Amino acid sequence: MSHAAFADSVHVRAPGKINVFLGVGGRHDDGYHALATVFQAVSLYEDVIARPADDFSVTVSGVEDIESVPLDDRNLAMRAAKLLAVAVDHPGGVALEIRKSVPVAGGMGGGSADAAAALVACDALWGTGLSQARLHDLAARLGADVPFALHGGTAVGTGRGDQLNPALARGRFDWILVPSEQGLSTPVVYERLDLLREDEGALADDPQQSLDVPIPVLQALRSGDPAQLADTLFNDLQAAALYERPDLAETISLGVAAGALQGIVSGSGPTIALLCPDPETAQDVQSSLRENGLDPLHVHGPVPGARIIG
Ligand code: ATP
């Protein structure tokens, strides 16, 4: 099927992400913190269907807490469509249908995946045929995590997280994700990190301070060995997320006791990501967490970025 202009609809799927490493530096004047991170796209997807319309509109269905997703210009997918329309001088609008699977405000970049999917969907629907480089530029203007949702796979992000370089990753990593009913606000977690650091008198807020992804993280990804990767999982936001949600430490302990190699707060949380040695152990961990009243999901990574599926 051709996706040139005048298609009836375009269906795009984009993945949520885990940060297998997240180093946070000082705060820039624009409020953003310097980051050095490794993203991995995982098999939990957002579906966005774009249909021709005179105006711009968005509907959302899927996960819990759907009512907290805005349906106006604050919606990242809507903003993506409008940004593309201005960039390419598209005269009409678009009706976007978002089917969410990524938890809202879960630290897995669900809104960013919606934005990346909307860019790809509208580009195809309107037949604008932008290059990957131009799509990447528009994505970066929408949010620091949006370029990665376009890109997918495993990648190193620097700057605000939006300057991407692919990382070699062999094989497949099995993760158990434990979403929370209540989301955590990303700005609140960063503010908490700043306060904790002030208290410790640690890390001056020097945005120029150099931040790097440690070589062992990249080696572990290249090896494809989950045990090696488990030893290098790290998140500078974890202490701040656990401060806001102390119960999450218990979720990590339960997962590790059930056979996971290691657990980590995903991004700004509150989703917990537990790295498992193989798919069978992941199923055991999932069953055990279910018995504890949690609602775990079994996913794997890396998977591709935003792509047209229909
Ligand atoms: P971040 O990318 O900042 O780490 P997150 O992954 O924790 O965010 P998201 O689900 O992407 O969380 O969204 C965080 C907030 O952004 C939501 O609470 C909501 O108010 C707003 N938002 C805007 N557009 C969307 C969208 N399409 N889907 C979900 N939330 C959205």
Side-chain angles (χ1 to χ4, degrees), residues 3 19 27-28 65 119 125 156 206 222 238 245 272 284 292 304:
H3 290 290
N19 301 80
R27 186 199 285 265
H28 283 267
D65 202 16
L119 278 179
L125 187 72
V156 173
D206 173 11
R222 266 204 301 273
Q238 181 147 325
R245 286 283 309 275
I272 296 298
D284 294 344
N292 282 278

Side-chain angles (χ1 to χ4, degrees), residues 82-91 123 126 128-130 134 138:
K82 288 191 172 177
L83 185 67
L84 180 65
V86 170
V88 301
D89 256 335
H90 178 71
D123 178 59
W126 299 337
T128 39
L130 290 192
R134 276 205 72 195
L138 293 177

Side-chain angles (χ1 to χ4, degrees), residues 17 19 46 58 60 65 68-70 72 74-79 98 100 102-115 144-146 183-187 190 266-270:
K17 57 81 186 167
N19 301 80
E46 300 283 270
V58 62
V60 186
D65 202 16
S68 68
V69 178
D72 53 18
R74 289 168 300 164
N75 190 294
L76 270 181
M78 174 90 100
R79 286 178 43 206
I98 303 176
K100 294 186 78 71
V102 176
V104 178
M108 291 194 60
S112 301
D114 296 344
D145 289 349
V146 184
L184 255 183
S185 147
T186 303
Y190 273 96
S266 175
S268 54

Side-chain angles (χ1 to χ4, degrees), residues 21-40:
F21 178 89
L22 178 54
V24 182
R27 186 199 285 265
H28 283 267
D29 291 342
D30 62 6
Y32 272 96
H33 289 75
L35 299 183
T37 190
V38 179
F39 299 102
Q40 181 157 99

Side-chain angles (χ1 to χ4, degrees), residues 21 212-219:
F21 178 89
D212 277 319
V213 172
I215 300 291
V217 181
L218 302 174
Q219 283 170 337

Side-chain angles (χ1 to χ4, degrees), residues 46-189:
E46 300 283 270
D47 282 350
V48 173
I49 297 134
R51 299 186 176 87
D54 293 336
D55 298 321
F56 291 84
S57 65
V58 62
T59 62
V60 186
S61 63
V63 292
E64 289 183 42
D65 202 16
I66 215 78
E67 26 334 303
S68 68
V69 178
L71 299 177
D72 53 18
D73 280 353
R74 289 168 300 164
N75 190 294
L76 270 181
M78 174 90 100
R79 286 178 43 206
K82 288 191 172 177
L83 185 67
L84 180 65
V86 170
V88 301
D89 256 335
H90 178 71
V94 66
L96 296 172
E97 176 188 343
I98 303 176
R99 299 179 191 161
K100 294 186 78 71
S101 297
V102 176
V104 178
M108 291 194 60
S112 301
D114 296 344
L119 278 179
V120 172
C122 292
D123 178 59
L125 187 72
W126 299 337
T128 39
L130 290 192
S131 65
Q132 269 307 108
R134 276 205 72 195
L135 283 176
H136 182 110
D137 286 346
L138 293 177
R141 285 164 61 187
L142 291 160
D145 289 349
V146 184
F148 177 71
L150 269 185
H151 189 279
T154 306
V156 173
T158 50
R160 298 182 303 145
D162 54 336
Q163 290 163 26
L164 291 181
N165 280 297
L168 279 179
R170 196 191 305 268
R172 132 181 182 144
F173 294 95
D174 283 86
W175 300 90
I176 292 295
L177 301 175
V178 190
S180 286
E181 275 175 27
Q182 199 72 51
L184 255 183
S185 147
T186 303
V188 164
V189 175

Side-chain angles (χ1 to χ4, degrees), residues 190-280:
Y190 273 96
E191 273 162 35
R192 177 58 61 194
L193 175 71
D194 290 340
L195 290 173
L196 290 175
R197 284 178 168 174
E198 261 172 49
D199 284 352
E200 286 171 4
L203 195 77
D205 49 358
D206 173 11
Q208 303 311 323
Q209 171 205 330
S210 88
L211 268 175
D212 277 319
V213 172
I215 300 291
V217 181
L218 302 174
Q219 283 170 337
L221 287 163
R222 266 204 301 273
S223 77
D225 176 7
Q228 220 175 306
L229 186 62
D231 283 343
T232 64
L233 292 178
F234 176 78
N235 182 357
D236 252 334
L237 290 177
Q238 181 147 325
L242 293 182
Y243 186 98
E244 300 295 328
R245 286 283 309 275
D247 58 300
L248 298 177
E250 171 75 5
T251 305
I252 295 177
S253 304
L254 283 172
V256 171
L261 296 163
Q262 188 52 276
I264 194 168
V265 169
S266 175
S268 54
T271 306
I272 296 298
L274 295 152
L275 180 57
C276 296
D278 49 60
E280 296 73 31

